[in-house]
Amino acid sequence: RRRPPRARAPAAMFAVYVLGSATLSAMAVTNAYMGKQQFYPTVIYLVESKTNMVVMANMALALLILLGRVVKSMFFGTLRPAEIERLQDRSRIAVIETCLMMTMFREEFSFRFAALFAVLLFVKIFHWLTVDRINFIEQQPNAGRMAHIRIVVMMGLLLAVDTIFISQHVATTMQKGPSMLLLFVFEYTIQIIRIVKAFGKYSFFMIDQALDNRWEQKGTYSFYMELLGDFLQLFVHIVFFLLIHSYYGLPIYIIKDLIDIFNSFSTKCREFIRYRQLTSNMNERFANPTEADITEGEGGDPTCIICREEMTMDQLRRNQLKKLPCGHAFHVHCLRSWLERQKSCPTCRTDIPVNPQQVAAAT
C-alpha cells in the first residue's frame, strides 16, 4: 500500500536532513583529522571548535530523531491524529517550561545541558505515547496480542531508562554537589511515578478483562492508585522546590505546577472522603426498593442503567438492590462503583446528599 504524497513529503525532507547532517559531520571530522593526523588531537580540536561542535550536535540530534522514529514504528506503529496533536501540544509546553527552568541554571548552561534536555524530551515523548496508547487499548478491548506485548515491553524499557538516568544523576550530584542535574533527577522521578501509574492502570484493565468486566473493585483500586500517584507527585514537587530554593533562589516557574498538583490532590481527597461517607453505611443510608419500584419505575423497565442488566426479585429479596433519594434503583455493587466516579444519580443527575438528614428529607 503506497503512502499518499502528503505523507511521503515529510519523510523525504527528513531523509535529506539526515543525509545533509551526515555529510557535514563527515567533512568536519575529515578536515580535523587531516590537520592533526592523530586521533586524540583531532578529538580535542572538534571539542574546542564551536563550529564543529554545532555540526556534531546537529548530527546527534538527527540520529536521536531517527532512533525515535524507529522506536515509534516498532512499538506504536502509525500514530493516530489525536495522539499526534496531543504530542505536539505537550512538546511545545515542555520546551517552554524548560526555557523558564534555564533561567535558574543559566550559569551552568552548556552543550551538555542541551544534550541532556534533548534526551529528556525524547524519553518524555514515549511516556506520553505510552499513556495515550493504554487509554486507547482500554477503549478498544479487542486489541491484538502483539499490541499488548509492545506496550508492556515499552513500559519496562521506560522504567529501566528512568531508573538508570536517576541513579547516574544522583551519583554525580552526591560527588560534585548540587547542580543542574537536580532538574533532571526531578523530571525522571516524575516520569517513573507516571509510568508506574500507567502500568497499574493497564494491570487493572487486564484483570477486569480476565474476569469478563465483572471486577467490582476495579474502580476502588484505580481511585486509590490515582490518589497515591498525586500524593507522590506533590511530595516530589515540594522536595524539588525546597532544594532549588535553598541553592538557587525562588523557582517561580514551578509554583504553577505545584499549585495545580496540590489542587488535584486536595480534590481527590475530598472526593475520597465523600465516597467513604456515602458507602460506609449504604444499608442504612439508602432504602430498599419495592417491587413497584422495580416493575413500574422508568416505564416498567427493570434494567440497572449502570450495568445494563436486569434487576430481579431474587436480588431484591437478598438485599442486593438500593434506591437513591430521587427514587431510582440500582444494584448495590453497581451503585458503589458509580459513586467512585460520580456523586449524582446516573439517571436524573440529582446530587446524592451526604448528610443523613438530607437523605431523610429527600425521601
Side-chain angles (χ1 to χ4, degrees):
R1 183 180 177 181
R2 294 183 178 179
R3 290 182 295 178
R6 291 184 179 179
R8 293 197 300 265
M13 293 177 61
F14 177 71
V16 172
Y17 167 65
V18 173
L19 182 60
S21 299
T23 302
L24 289 175
S25 299
M27 292 174 60
V29 172
T30 302
N31 179 66
Y33 185 77
M34 291 180 63
K36 301 300 180 181
Q37 298 296 324
Q38 293 182 3
F39 175 77
Y40 184 72
T42 300
V43 174
I44 296 298
Y45 175 76
L46 290 173
V47 171
E48 292 180 348
S49 173
K50 293 184 179 181
T51 302
N52 290 330
M53 281 296 296
V54 171
V55 171
M56 302 305 294
N58 178 71
M59 186 62 214
L61 178 61
L63 292 176
L64 187 64
I65 297 175
L66 181 61
L67 175 62
R69 286 175 172 249
V70 173
V71 175
K72 187 269 296 181
S73 299
M74 290 177 55
F75 291 97
F76 300 100
T78 302
L79 298 181
R80 295 175 294 113
E83 291 176 330
I84 296 176
E85 183 179 356
R86 284 193 292 268
L87 186 61
Q88 292 174 345
D89 293 340
R90 291 166 175 168
S91 300
R92 190 180 304 111
I93 294 174
V95 171
I96 294 174
E97 290 180 347
T98 303
C99 290
L100 294 176
M101 293 178 183
M102 289 180 183
T103 60
M104 298 296 299
F105 304 97
R106 55 186 178 273
E107 296 181 358
E108 302 178 40
F109 183 79
S110 61
F111 278 109
R112 182 191 181 196
F113 184 95
L116 290 175
F117 167 69
V119 174
L120 173 63
L121 183 59
F122 176 84
V123 175
K124 290 176 73 171
I125 285 174
F126 286 102
H127 279 82
W128 298 331
L129 290 177
T130 300
V131 173
D132 287 344
R133 189 53 58 92
I134 290 176
N135 293 333
F136 178 72
I137 290 177
E138 285 189 330
Q139 298 170 3
Q140 304 289 334
N142 57 346
R145 179 179 299 179
M146 185 55 64
H148 291 279
I149 294 176
R150 288 175 176 176
I151 203 67
V152 171
V153 173
M154 188 76 253
M155 287 189 289
L157 289 175
L158 289 175
L159 184 61
V161 169
D162 293 337
T163 304
I164 291 172
F165 276 112
I166 287 178
S167 60
Q168 290 181 346
H169 294 332
V170 168
T172 303
T173 301
M174 296 293 292
Q175 294 176 358
K176 300 182 179 180
S179 65
M180 65 175 182
L181 294 181
L182 288 175
L183 167 63
F184 296 99
V185 171
F186 162 73
E187 290 287 351
Y188 284 111
T189 303
I190 293 297
Q191 298 310 311
I192 281 185
I193 295 174
R194 290 174 177 169
I195 203 64
V196 170
K197 284 175 56 179
F199 180 77
K201 183 178 181 180
Y202 176 79
S203 301
F204 296 159
F205 166 74
M206 294 303 296
I207 294 174
D208 189 43
Q209 287 291 106
L211 297 177
D212 197 20
N213 296 322
R214 294 181 180 274
W215 187 27
E216 299 179 4
Q217 300 300 321
K218 176 187 175 183
T220 302
Y221 286 115
S222 297
F223 184 83
Y224 289 156
M225 183 184 64
E226 291 288 339
L227 187 65
L228 178 60
D230 280 1
F231 170 75
L232 292 176
Q233 289 191 56
L234 178 62
F235 176 76
V236 172
H237 273 78
I238 292 176
V239 171
F240 178 69
F241 180 88
L242 295 177
L243 287 175
I244 297 300
H245 179 63
S246 300
Y247 293 104
Y248 292 93
L250 184 64
I252 300 178
Y253 61 88
I254 202 178
I255 293 179
K256 180 182 179 300
D257 290 340
L258 190 61
I259 294 175
D260 290 342
I261 295 177
F262 176 78
N263 290 335
S264 175
F265 177 70
S266 60
T267 299
K268 283 185 172 61
C269 287
R270 289 193 298 269
E271 291 177 352
F272 175 73
I273 293 173
R274 188 175 182 185
Y275 165 75
R276 294 296 299 174
Q277 290 174 336
L278 289 173
T279 59
S280 59
N281 56 346
M282 292 184 65
N283 289 330
E284 294 77 15
R285 179 178 297 275
F286 303 119
N288 295 325
T290 62
E291 293 187 12
D293 293 326
I294 304 301
T295 58
E296 300 177 5
E298 295 297 321
D301 184 9
T303 302
C304 173
I305 195 176
I306 300 176
C307 66
R308 300 296 181 180
E309 294 185 2
E310 183 179 353
M311 295 180 289
T312 64
M313 293 299 106
D314 181 62
Q315 293 172 340
L316 179 62
R317 288 189 292 271
R318 288 188 294 172
N319 198 28
Q320 295 179 351
L321 304 178
K322 284 297 179 181
K323 181 176 67 173
L324 295 180
C326 58
H328 297 108
F330 312 93
H331 294 117
V332 173
H333 64 272
C334 293
L335 183 60
R336 186 183 297 275
S337 63
W338 174 264
L339 293 175
E340 294 167 359
R341 305 183 300 272
Q342 301 289 336
K343 304 302 181 288
S344 60
C345 173
T347 301
C348 63
R349 301 299 178 180
T350 302
D351 288 338
I352 303 174
V354 176
N355 194 323
Q357 286 75 18
Q358 294 177 338
V359 175
T363 53

